[in-house]
Amino acid sequence: MLKIARFGFYMFGINTYVVYDPEVKEAAIIDPGMSRKEEFEAMEKFIDREGLKVTHLINTHLHIDHAIADNWVKAKYGVPVEAHADDAMLGERMKMQAEMFGLRADDIAVEIDTKLKEGDVIRIGRGELKVIHVPGHSPGGVCLYDKADGFVIVGDALFQGSIGRTDLMGGNHRQLIEAVKNKLLTLPGETTVFSGHGDATTIGRERDSNPYLI
């Protein structure tokens, strides 16, 4: 059984997740949004306290708030950046993204080392996450589904009562709606949805009441 820890970080109120096997002690850091000293320290302390070995660094997509600490995680834990190839241009334009939001940044380009695709299975200890390609918020947006434990990490594709923005670089509103309906809302209703911002919800709740999807 996999466990999930959520960290709320300053940059745009980003949710960063650590998915880990408490017995085998393997872990994946998903969408690292640390940007302050105390945030890096919080992540480091959690990994150390739980005695975890970080074996995966996964991005649901490569908007800056979800990937600003990619290079730190990659260097510290010696893991490759895993993301969908269609978001490569966002990784290359990380500095431009920072400037769009009025942020000052050095050249913080993120290079995808392991290119994820629909149907890939990422193993973490005894558990696994299945990759679901859900484009629209970004071209290479992916969701990570743990069928055994009943949760899905969706990045910015789906929120409690809402969906992701499509006015950012690479966004496509129709594509996002179709992908969410066809690939996420078909999951079991009791599946817990962990989004990139805000509180958790369930597939059933969003299927029944999300005004963007009815």
Side-chain angles (χ1 to χ4, degrees):
M1 175 179 289
L2 294 179
K3 288 190 174 182
I4 184 165
R6 182 179 77 171
F7 295 80
F9 291 130
Y10 170 75
M11 183 72 71
F12 303 102
I14 176 71
N15 288 330
T16 292
Y17 297 98
V18 178
V19 175
Y20 63 102
D21 183 325
E23 298 296 328
V24 178
K25 299 295 185 180
E26 290 185 354
I29 297 177
I30 300 170
D31 290 348
M34 302 84 79
S35 61
R36 295 177 168 185
K37 179 182 177 182
E38 58 268 30
E39 295 175 347
F40 288 102
E41 290 175 349
M43 177 61 69
E44 207 171 345
K45 287 178 180 177
F46 177 81
I47 297 296
D48 290 346
R49 185 177 70 245
E50 298 297 324
L52 301 175
K53 177 184 179 181
V54 177
T55 55
H56 294 279
L57 161 57
I58 309 168
N59 286 109
T60 61
H61 61 295
L62 288 177
H63 286 150
I64 186 170
D65 50 336
H66 292 253
I68 194 168
D70 269 20
N71 291 330
W72 180 86
V73 173
K74 179 179 178 177
K76 181 166 185 61
Y77 296 108
V79 288
V81 175
E82 301 176 45
H84 196 284
D86 288 353
D87 267 12
M89 59 89 177
L90 291 175
E92 295 165 0
R93 300 175 184 177
M94 203 64 65
K95 184 177 181 180
M96 181 191 303
Q97 291 190 58
E99 292 170 348
M100 285 173 58
F101 289 102
L103 303 173
R104 298 180 64 181
D106 296 326
D107 190 358
I108 54 173
V110 170
E111 181 179 350
I112 300 173
D113 300 304
T114 301
K115 296 175 181 178
L116 301 176
K117 62 183 183 301
E118 175 82 21
D120 281 352
V121 174
I122 300 169
R123 289 182 169 79
I124 304 165
R126 299 162 302 168
E128 58 185 41
L129 301 175
K130 182 179 179 181
V131 175
I132 305 172
H133 183 210
V134 183
H137 177 66
S138 77
V142 297
C143 299
L144 305 166
Y145 178 44
D146 181 347
K147 181 178 180 179
D149 298 307
F151 70 79
V152 61
I153 298 172
V154 299
D156 290 355
L158 179 64
F159 301 110
Q160 186 180 115
S162 188
I163 58 171
R165 293 176 61 175
T166 54
D167 59 335
L168 300 174
M169 190 184 306
N172 184 307
H173 183 78
R174 176 181 291 180
Q175 188 179 46
L176 179 60
I177 293 291
E178 290 179 355
V180 169
K181 285 184 174 181
N182 295 332
K183 295 188 175 183
L184 293 182
L185 297 192
T186 54
L187 298 177
E190 64 273 17
T191 303
T192 301
V193 175
F194 292 107
S195 301
H197 306 268
D199 296 329
T201 182
T202 66
I203 290 295
R205 176 176 179 173
E206 300 314 308
R207 185 190 295 143
D208 294 341
S209 64
N210 191 308
Y212 293 89
L213 302 170
I214 295 175

